[in-house]
Amino acid sequence: MLDIKLREGLINLFESLNIFHYGFTPCRKFFELKSYFESKVKNSHLTEFEEKDVEKRINPFLYFENGKTIISIAIPYLHNNENYKKDISKYTQGMDYHFVVSDYLNKVCNFIKEFGYNCKYFCDTNNLPERYIAYLSGVGHIGRNSLLYTKKYGSYVFLGEIITNVVLCEEKPNSYYEEKFREISEFRKCGKCYSCIKNCPNNVLIEKNFNKCVSNLTQQKHLNSEEMKNLNEMIFGCDVCQDSCPKNKVIDYAFDERFKIQEFLKDVDDKTIINMDNKYFKENFKKLSCSWRGKNLLKRNVMIKNRENLKFLEKLNFDNVDYLNNYKNTLLNNKNQR
Ligand code: B12
C-alpha cells in the first residue's frame, strides 16, 4: 500500500535539502530495455565501463531483493565560475560526485529508515541505467546527446538513486513503459536542434557508439594511434555535447560549494601533472572523480595533448614506468615518421 505520509515527508525533505529534481518509479525489471541493450552488446558498442550482462543492467532486484520503489534525484554541479580549466571536464573540477551525491542519498535513506523501512543507495555504483530511471521518475528528459536534462539545471547534473521496500508511487501497465521507451528516440524536447551531433569532435552521437567519445578515450587504459588523435587535447572527460546545447544556456547554477573548482587546480598546468608524485596525487587529485584511473593515465593524456611538441616529449623522464615510456616512445616515433 502506498505510504502517503512518508511520500509527503520525503518531498518536504527534498525541498529542505534544495533538491528540486526528484521522482519515484516502481521498482521493476526494465524489460523494455532488453533488446536495446542486447543490440549494444551485439554491435560491440559497449565501452569498457559498461556491463555486458544485460540482466545486471535491467534487473534492480539483483541489487535490492525486496525493492518496491526507486527514488531518483538530480544534483546540479555547474558553478557560475568562468575559470574552469579547458582541458579537464567541468564535472570533475569539484569534489568527487560519488561522495557528494552519496551524502544527499544517505540523508534520505536515514529518513526512510526512521519510518521502519529498508533501502540502499547508488550513484554510479551499480549497472542500472541511471538516466533511464531518472527519465521514468519524471526528473527530466533525455537529449540527443544521451544526457538527462532537468528544467532548472539543464544536463549539468549528477544522478543518484535509492531502492526501497516501501511503495511510494502507483504501478503502471507494461504498455506504458513500452511507450515511454519508444518516446525517447523521438527526442521531442530537442526539436530540430542537432547542435550536439554537429559539434561532437568524433561524430559519436549519430550511431551512439561511445567507444569513440572523447570522454571515454580519456579514461580508456590503452589507446592506439588513431584514438590518441581523437583525444581532442583533453586530459579528462569532455563537455562539447553539453556546452554546445542551447538548452544549457539558460540554466540556474549549482548551490553546493563542494562542486566549486578545487583550489589546488587553479595552479595546475601540464608540467604539474607530468611531474606529480604519489604524495601530490593523493593529497590533491584524489578528491576529484578523475583520479579513479590513477595518476599515470592523467600523465599519459598530458603527453598526448603535447604530442606535437618534440622538446617537451624528449625531456620527459618516467624512470621505469613502462606504461608511460611506451606512450612516450610511440609519440616520438609517430612524430619522427612525419
Ligand atoms: C559508461 C558511462 C559513460 C561512458 C559511456 C557513455 C554513454 N553515453 O553511454 C563514457 C565514459 C563515455 C561516459 C561519458 C560521460 N558521462 Co557517463 N556514465 C556511464 C555509466 C556508468 C553507464 C552509462 C550507460 O549505461 N551507457 C549505455 C547507454 C545505452 O545507456 P544509458 O546511458 O542508460 O542510455 C539510455 C538513454 O540514453 C536512452 N537513449 C539514448 N539515446 C537513445 C536513442 C535511441 C534510439 C533509444 C531507443 C534510446 C536512447 O536509452 C538508454 C536506456 O537506458 C553512467 C552511470 C549509470 N550506471 O547509468 C554514467 C553517467 C551516464 N555519466 C554521466 C556523466 C556526467 C558523463 C559525462 C557528461 C562526463 C563528461 N563530462 O565527460 C559524459 C557524457 C557523455 C554522453 N554524451 O553520454 C552521468 C550523466 C548525468 C546526466 N545528466 O545525464 C551518469 C548518469 C553518472 C551519474 N550518476 O551522474 N559515461
Side-chain angles (χ1 to χ4, degrees):
M1 228 184 53
L2 191 74
D3 192 328
I4 296 179
K5 210 172 149 222
L6 175 54
R7 193 186 149 106
E8 281 169 2
L10 281 169
I11 292 173
N12 288 334
L13 177 68
F14 291 136
E15 274 159 28
S16 72
L17 293 172
N18 283 329
I19 300 176
F20 293 101
H21 294 290
Y22 57 83
F24 310 90
T25 189
C27 184
R28 46 178 274 283
K29 201 163 155 174
F30 307 114
F31 66 92
E32 68 279 16
L33 295 182
K34 195 167 183 281
S35 55
Y36 181 63
F37 280 137
E38 280 169 353
S39 73
K40 291 249 163 203
V41 180
K42 199 169 143 236
N43 298 328
S44 306
H45 281 183
L46 291 191
T47 61
E48 68 183 55
F49 311 113
E50 287 162 70
E51 174 58 54
K52 288 180 187 60
D53 181 345
V54 173
E55 186 64 16
K56 289 187 185 153
R57 302 238 46 195
I58 63 171
N59 188 353
F61 301 109
L62 295 177
Y63 307 95
F64 192 84
E65 221 178 327
N66 299 319
K68 294 275 184 280
T69 307
I70 308 183
I71 305 170
S72 169
I73 63 168
I75 305 291
Y77 61 86
L78 191 77
H79 272 274
N80 189 8
N81 187 329
E82 258 126 59
N83 298 322
Y84 279 109
K85 287 180 81 61
K86 298 258 178 304
D87 46 19
I88 297 182
S89 171
K90 299 177 177 82
Y91 87 100
T92 184
Q93 298 193 36
M95 197 182 273
D96 187 338
Y97 66 96
H98 299 93
F99 174 81
V100 179
V101 176
S102 296
D103 188 35
Y104 286 100
L105 293 167
N106 192 30
K107 287 189 175 116
V108 181
C109 276
N110 287 341
F111 185 81
I112 293 173
K113 284 177 185 163
E114 278 172 25
F115 280 71
Y117 297 105
N118 223 330
C119 50
K120 204 169 168 185
Y121 67 78
F122 307 90
C123 170
D124 219 347
T125 43
N126 67 14
N127 297 303
L128 294 173
E130 294 189 293
R131 306 196 250 216
Y132 186 65
I133 292 169
Y135 162 73
L136 287 184
S137 309
V139 168
H141 73 273
I142 291 172
R144 283 210 165 87
N145 53 10
S146 269
L147 283 151
L148 188 286
Y149 279 77
T150 59
K151 265 204 178 124
K152 204 170 159 61
Y153 307 107
S155 67
Y156 299 111
V157 292
F158 295 121
L159 301 174
E161 309 76 37
I162 292 167
I163 312 184
T164 170
N165 60 353
V166 52
V167 178
L168 294 167
C169 56
E170 308 281 357
E171 297 276 341
K172 300 260 182 10
N174 285 353
S175 55
Y176 169 86
Y177 297 107
E178 276 157 12
E179 186 52 19
K180 284 293 276 182
F181 179 62
R182 200 196 54 74
E183 277 176 6
I184 293 178
S185 54
E186 293 176 4
F187 301 110
R188 255 186 245 162
K189 293 261 162 74
C190 297
K192 289 196 167 62
C193 177
Y194 291 85
S195 186
C196 58
I197 294 188
K198 284 186 209 144
N199 285 290
C200 173
N202 296 340
N203 280 320
V204 167
L205 297 169
I206 298 170
E207 216 185 6
K208 295 215 161 44
N209 176 1
F210 283 88
N211 280 302
K212 278 174 74 183
C213 171
V214 173
S215 180
N216 177 61
L217 295 176
T218 61
Q219 300 176 58
Q220 200 171 284
K221 203 90 194 161
H222 299 288
L223 298 174
N224 61 34
S225 297
E226 182 67 23
E227 290 171 330
M228 287 194 230
K229 278 190 221 143
N230 287 341
L231 228 51
N232 203 30
E233 326 307 331
M234 290 300 286
I235 299 173
F236 206 92
C238 176
D239 290 321
V240 174
C241 68
Q242 303 198 81
D243 288 353
S244 61
C245 173
K247 281 219 174 336
N248 275 336
K249 300 279 184 268
V250 274
I251 51 163
D252 284 355
Y253 290 99
F255 49 82
D256 195 313
E257 297 282 312
R258 290 172 290 184
F259 285 134
K260 283 204 154 164
I261 303 178
Q262 291 287 297
E263 241 354 87
F264 83 92
L265 260 189
K266 295 176 181 164
D267 301 318
V268 166
D269 61 11
D270 289 356
K271 282 200 182 119
T272 325
I273 296 180
I274 279 285
N275 294 323
M276 75 179 154
D277 56 13
N278 272 340
K279 188 171 177 286
Y280 182 88
F281 179 71
K282 277 190 186 147
E283 281 171 6
N284 297 289
F285 273 93
K286 268 286 180 196
K287 291 175 232 152
L288 313 181
S289 57
C290 66
S291 69
W292 83 288
R293 304 291 276 170
K295 74 176 189 321
N296 288 343
L297 186 117
L298 299 173
K299 291 185 185 221
R300 177 204 64 185
N301 293 347
V302 168
M303 244 196 292
I304 297 173
K305 184 186 155 202
N306 289 282
R307 67 188 177 284
E308 294 301 327
N309 186 344
L310 204 60
K311 273 195 191 138
F312 179 89
L313 291 177
E314 277 170 348
K315 265 197 243 153
L316 298 173
N317 178 7
F318 298 121
D319 292 327
N320 296 323
V321 185
D322 288 348
Y323 177 75
L324 292 173
N325 282 322
N326 289 342
Y327 278 101
K328 176 185 162 185
N329 294 335
T330 309
L331 289 167
L332 280 171
N333 285 341
N334 287 354
K335 177 98 184 108
N336 290 332
Q337 274 164 23
R338 268 182 276 137

